[in-house]
Structure formats: structure tokens, C-alpha cells
């Protein structure tokens, strides 16, 4: 799958995202099972969501019910490659510590006998959860099914029932591609016509968001026109349509807290939604392709959000897939993790979403190291010591004194930050930057994953590039080590400061630039910088000095993480 594109619509405003590339769903028949005794925990993340073993992919149907957070996810109970997919189910009081339950949904009926693929949860009036998911029928058509809790008095929602009237939506309409018709969204209710609506991703000559409507949540009718489509795009997987706050939740300096009802947001990039006409009108500056906004510019796929009524916030989940080979995954005995859940809101500039790890993550912070007002000269660096940096959370604010030596920005890269990062990596000396962190690094820095900023001078402003450079992340051969990058929407000339937070977890690096305006996730596989042999450095490879005004780094404790899973 491709990385999630984001669109914010203003009016009946909506956030829409989708994965713009089609998942391969390659079946490795010879790799479908593995003995648990062979599981290699060496690079397994310690505080990111994961089962003890085997393959996981898309987060499905997250919800909050009777004081319990629920996460369902695509899971292979028999191997560490894709296949045999069921809806695994875990529960939590804080979205950090998790207990595993029996699978909620698994192939059992003609309408899902060849697969129970991704979907969403909706809370119906009366606090009644319902799941909509994609099933694969005997004709290998992708169809949409519904499931209800068997016992609403059970806060753990252990058992689910599939009614006989499934499927509730099928691709019988000739305009629908039955082999590319999946991942129903959470439904939303519009009072003016007392109607539920949802979107399903598909592909004809281009990516399409098909809109369906229902009065009773059982009988669904396809709208006359798609909610949106766009030329030059492929299969729109895992769409998401939801309201978000227009205010920034903030408690002191922390990206957390609650907000009121503000306006609502609901669709695909910056634009206007006309709910009575079932139409979305994008703004002139919005983009329907890879050049548009993204939740995350790295390994962050199949995202799914839900509203948390306990803390009045929108929470986003995303899958961080492996970058290693299928045979390496079999040898590890596990594959895939979920990114740390993120609070999501609309930036005050109205142009993009802001994301920040949920505040509950901070309960895992343990040993602490702090650095203040430390200058880093050109070519200089220093190490953050005395914590386990292979499992850490670090926040740092950089002061940029002068922008005089900023390199000229080549407009050819205006829509391709990743190519610019690949050309000017962390080892390429610059004017203002590259400066940032070297994480999961060996003592001699032969292995290191660089997380950095680089500042350029454009014709009328300065451009801030944020990069993940894992090209030196491992001395192992045959590992996919792409650079990832995005531009950061900040006025660096005015502030002369920029912040970075990175979550480092053995083989995962999640970074949040400028308080969550630009986010990047990478999967890396060091061969030397493992466990206690992993180091963290702050570096500056630019001509201009930079100063660390403040750095705080914490060693992270391991939460309870599905250790009692019974598969």
C-alpha cells in the first residue's frame, strides 16, 4: 500500500485520507507457519503495539466502549507473512498496555469465506457498536459485511455475530470494480436528511471514493455520483472520513488535552463539502496525488481513526510494515507493528493536520537525561548517554542563529522532498544543516539512522526540509533503506527555532517535526547498534553553528503487550 494522502475540507469540513497504491497481498505458501520457539526478539519493538509473533497489517475498527479501548487488526495466526487473515482483537485501558482476546471476526460464511479484510467501527445510537468489513466471497468478489456484538453488556466485546442478511453492500452495480472494492469507512450521520453515509475505496480508470447511504444501517444505496475521484491515482485503499477539531489541544507545551465542539471537518484535502449535494469541491491549491499532504512521509500505511469520547479527541492509528524480505520475516517469526496512536487536530493555519503521540505514552518514560544551551559547531556532535537509546523518547529544540549560509533551493524539488533528501543525505555538508539526531547508531557511527533538518533559501522565503536517512542504518546487505522526507510549514526566518521529537524502538523510528506538522516513520534493521550497543548522537553537518536550547531524552519502559495472546 502507499502512504496516506490527506485532504482537509472546510465548510462541512472533513479530513479524508487514503492509501494511494494497491496492496500486493502476495501469498507465500511455503512461509505460512512458524514454530514460536524460532521467534527472534532482537529487533522486536518494545513499546509499539504488536502481538508476540506472526504477521500483522492494517489497524481495523478502533473504538471506545464502556471504558475500554478496542483495537482490531489484520493478523495471520499461523505465520509471519500475509495470509490466513483474521480480525485479531486487543483491549486496553490506556492504548499503551494491551491484552489480547480471541479473534473477533474470521472467515466462516460464504460472504467472507476467502477473507475478512479491513473495515471500520461505528457507534450507533444507544451506544451500540457495529463493524463493517470487506469479505471475499466464493466468486472472489470484494463485498461489504456487517457484524454486531453478541453481548452489549460485555465491555470487552468478546463475541461478534454476522447476520444472515450479509452482504449489506455488493459490487452488483456495473460501475463498481468487484476486484477493487474494499475498506468501508466509519459511517457518519447527517440530521438534515436522517441518513447514514459511508465511503468505500475503489478503482476504475482512476481512484474513486464511492458514497453509500442508508436510513437503517442495513439497506445501503449507492449515490448517483462518487464523493470524489481523481485522475492519475490508483486504487484508493483504506479511506477515512471524519470530523476533527479546528483548535489545537495544548496543555502547557505538551501536544495533548481536550477541545470543545469547534467546527467539524470531513473529507479530502483542503476544500468544501456540500453535504446536501453529496459533493466535495477542492481548493485550488489542493492536490490529489503524491505531491499532496500526507499523514506520514514514511512507513505508515492503512491508517484508521476513531473519536475518543473519554478525552474528546480524534485518535489515529497506522501500520508500520517491515522493510525486510519475507524470508527475513519468517526467520524473525514476526512482522509488522502499529505506530504509536496519535492525537489529530487541524493546524491554526487551516492548511494541514497536526499529529502528536497520545499523552498516555509518557507514562512509560523512565530514566531521563537533559541537555540545555549547548552549541554544536560546524561538523560537531555529542552523545546522549546513560539511557537505553534503543528504546527511547527524545524531544529537542534547535536554535538556528543565522540563515545567511542557507543553500539556494532548487524549485525542481518543490514537490519531491524525498528526492531532495536522497540527493542531500545526512553526510552531505550543507549551509544551515543537516542538523539533528543519529539514532540506533553504533559507537563509531558506521551504523546510524539520521533524523535531520536542512534549511534552504528560496526566492521569497526559507524552505525547511525534514529527513529520515537510513542509508547507513545497517551493515547488512539486501535491505531496503529508502530516505523519507517532507517539507515543514514553519516560518523559520521569524522563529529561528525548530523542534523534533523521535520515538526510537529497536527497529522503528517515528519522528515529529515542529510539534507534529511533519511526521516520518522508518523501519530499520541494525546489525551492530542493537540493544545496549545502540547509541544516540546530536550532530551538525552544516557550515552554520546551531544550538540545542533544550534536549530531554527518556529511556522507555516496556508496557504489557499482548503477552497472553492465545493464538
Amino acid at each position: 500500500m502507499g502512504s496516506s494522502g490527506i485532504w482537509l475540507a472546510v465548510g462541512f469540513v472533513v479530513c479524508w485520507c487514503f492509501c494511494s497504491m494497491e496492496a500486493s497481498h502476495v501469498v507465500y505458501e511455503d512461509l505460512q507457519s512458524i514454530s514460536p520457539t524460532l521467534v527472534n526478539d532482537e529487533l522486536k519493538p518494545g513499546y509499539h503495539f504488536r502481538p508476540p509473533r506472526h504477521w500483522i497489517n492494517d489497524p481495523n475498527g478502533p473504538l471506545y466502549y464502556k471504558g475500554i479501548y478496542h483495537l482490531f487488526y489484520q493478523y495471520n495466526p499461523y505465520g509471519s507473512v500475509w495470509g490466513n487473515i483474521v480480525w485479531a482483537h486487543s483491549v486496553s485501558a490506556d492504548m499503551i498496555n494491551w491484552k489480547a482476546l480471541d479473534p473477533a471476526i474470521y472467515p466462516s460464511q460464504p460472504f467472507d469465506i476467502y477473507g475478512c479484510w479491513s473495515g471500520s467501527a461505528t457507534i450507533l445510537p444507544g451506544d451500540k457498536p457495529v463493524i463493517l468489513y470487506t469479505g471475499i466471497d466464493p466468486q472472489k468478489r470484494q463485498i461489504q459485511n456487517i457484524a454486531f456484538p453478541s453481548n452489549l453488556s460485555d465491555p470487552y466485546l468478546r463475541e461478534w455475530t454476522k447476520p444472515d442478511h450479509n452482504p449489506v453492500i455488493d459490487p452488483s452495480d456495473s460501475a463498481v470494480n468487484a476486484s477493487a472494492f474494499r475498506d468501508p469507512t466509519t459511517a457518519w450521520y447527517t440530521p438534515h436528511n436522517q441518513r447514514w453515509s459511508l465511503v468505500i475505496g475503489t478503482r476504475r480508470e482512476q481512484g474513486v471514493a464511492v458514497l453509500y447511504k442508508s436510513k437503517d444501517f442495513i439497506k445501503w444505496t449507492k449515490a448517483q455520483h462518487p464523493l470524489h475521484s481523481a485522475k492519475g491515482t490508483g486504487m484508493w485503499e483504506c479511506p477515512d472520513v471524519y470530523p476533527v477539531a479546528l483548535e489545537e489541544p495544548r496543555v502547557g507545551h505538551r501536544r495533548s488535552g481536550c477541545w470543545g465542539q469547534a467546527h467539524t471537518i470531513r473529507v479530502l484535502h483542503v476544500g468544501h463539502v456540500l453535504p446536501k449535494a453529496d459533493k466535495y469541491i477542492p481548493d485550488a491549491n489542493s492536490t490529489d496525488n503524491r505531491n499532496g499532504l500526507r499523514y506520514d512521509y514514511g512507513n505508515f500505511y492503512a491508517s484508521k481513526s476513531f473519536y475518543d469520547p473519554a478525552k474528546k479527541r480524534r485518535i489515529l492509528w497506522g501500520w508500520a510494515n517491515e522493510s525486510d524480505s519475507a524470508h527475513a520475516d519468517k526467520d524473525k517469526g514476526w512482522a509488522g507493528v502499529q505506530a504509536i496512536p496519535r492525537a489529530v487536530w487541524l493546524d491554526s493555519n487551516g492548511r494541514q493536520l497536526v499529529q502528536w503521540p497520545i499523552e498516555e505514552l509518557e507514562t512509560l518514560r523512565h530514566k531521563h537525561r537533559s541537555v540545555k544551551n549547548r552549541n554544536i559547531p560546524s561538523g560537531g556532535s555529542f552523545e546522549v548517554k546513560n539511557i537505553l537509546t534503543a528504546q527511547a523518547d527524545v524531544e529537542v529544540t534547535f536554535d538556528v542563529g543565522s540563515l545567511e549560509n542557507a543553500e539556494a533551493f532548487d524549485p525542481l524539488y518543490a514537490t519531491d522532498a524525498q528526492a531532495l533528501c536522497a540527493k542531500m543525505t545526512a553526510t552531505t555538508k550543507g549551509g544551515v544543516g543537516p542538523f539533528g539526531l543519529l539514532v540506533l547508531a553504533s559507537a563509531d557511527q558506521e551504523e546510524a539512522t539520521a533524523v535531520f533538518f536542512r534549511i534552504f533559501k528560496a526566492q521569497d522565503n526559507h524552505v525547511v526540509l525534514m529527513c529520515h536517512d537510513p542509508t547507513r542504518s545497517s551493515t547488512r546487505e539486501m535491505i531496503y533503506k529508502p530516505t523519507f522526507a517532507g517539507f515543514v510549514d514553519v516560518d523559520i526566518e521569524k522563529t529561528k527555532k525548530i523542534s523534533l521529537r523521535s520515538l526510537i524502538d529497536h527497529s522503528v523510528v517515528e519522528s515529529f517535526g515542529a510539534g507534529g506538522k511533519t511526521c516520518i516513520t522508518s523501519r530499520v534493521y541494525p546489525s551492530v547498534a542493537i540493544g545496549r550497543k545502540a547509541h544516540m548522537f546530536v550532530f551538525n553537518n552544516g557550515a552554520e553553528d546551531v544550538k540545542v536550547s533544550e534536549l530531554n531524552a527518556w529511556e522507555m519502559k516496556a508496557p504489557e503487550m499482548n503477552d497472553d495472546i492465545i493464538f
Side-chain angles (χ1 to χ4, degrees), residues 39-50:
V39 172
N40 184 341
D41 292 338
E42 198 170 57
L43 295 175
K44 183 186 291 183
Y47 61 92
H48 282 70
F49 181 96
R50 48 150 185 85

Side-chain angles (χ1 to χ4, degrees), residues 227-448:
L227 186 66
H228 191 56
S229 62
K231 294 180 180 179
T233 61
M235 173 65 194
W236 282 5
E237 294 195 310
C238 301
D240 204 359
V241 182
Y242 59 83
V244 296
L246 294 175
E247 299 174 1
E248 177 180 339
R250 182 187 284 269
V251 178
H253 74 284
R254 291 165 54 190
R255 296 288 189 177
S256 59
C258 305
W259 56 89
Q261 285 300 314
H263 298 286
T264 57
I265 305 274
R266 238 189 250 281
V267 170
L268 318 165
H269 51 223
V270 179
H272 293 75
V273 171
L274 306 177
K276 292 184 179 181
D278 292 329
K279 297 187 72 172
Y280 160 72
I281 303 173
D283 285 355
N285 294 328
S286 294
T287 320
D288 272 339
N289 55 38
R290 287 179 172 273
N291 299 331
L293 295 172
R294 302 186 192 182
Y295 276 137
D296 192 293
Y297 292 84
N299 281 38
F300 187 89
Y301 301 104
S303 54
K304 181 60 60 180
S305 73
F306 77 105
Y307 179 69
D308 175 14
K311 294 193 173 181
K312 298 180 172 64
R313 57 187 176 175
R314 172 64 53 173
I315 301 297
L316 177 73
W317 285 93
W319 169 45
N321 66 319
E322 304 297 322
S323 292
D324 221 339
S325 69
H327 284 274
D329 293 341
K330 180 182 182 298
D331 291 341
K332 294 197 304 281
W334 56 272
V337 299
Q338 308 297 352
I340 294 297
R342 304 172 181 182
V344 178
W345 65 94
L346 186 65
D347 186 62
S348 58
N349 64 24
R351 293 191 295 264
Q352 67 180 102
L353 290 183
V354 178
Q355 304 162 73
W356 199 246
I358 58 171
E359 60 183 314
E360 290 88 340
L361 181 66
E362 297 171 20
T363 63
L364 298 181
R365 288 174 170 176
H366 185 39
K367 295 179 182 178
H368 176 229
R369 293 294 176 266
S370 178
V371 176
K372 293 185 178 181
N373 298 318
R374 180 155 180 175
N375 189 65
I376 314 176
S378 174
S381 67
F382 67 87
E383 184 174 359
V384 179
K385 297 182 177 181
N386 301 318
I387 63 170
L388 176 63
T389 60
Q391 190 168 306
D393 180 356
V394 57
E395 296 188 55
V396 56
T397 300
F398 295 97
D399 287 3
V400 182
S402 172
L403 298 173
E404 184 176 345
N405 285 324
E407 301 156 90
F409 180 67
D410 186 342
L412 291 175
Y413 294 100
T415 60
D416 199 343
Q418 185 170 353
L420 182 57
C421 179
K423 179 181 179 182
M424 296 183 171
T425 63
T427 58
T428 307
K429 293 186 181 297
V432 184
F435 60 85
L437 302 174
L438 297 177
V439 302
L440 298 175
S442 57
D444 60 4
Q445 299 182 21
E446 181 182 1
E447 280 190 344

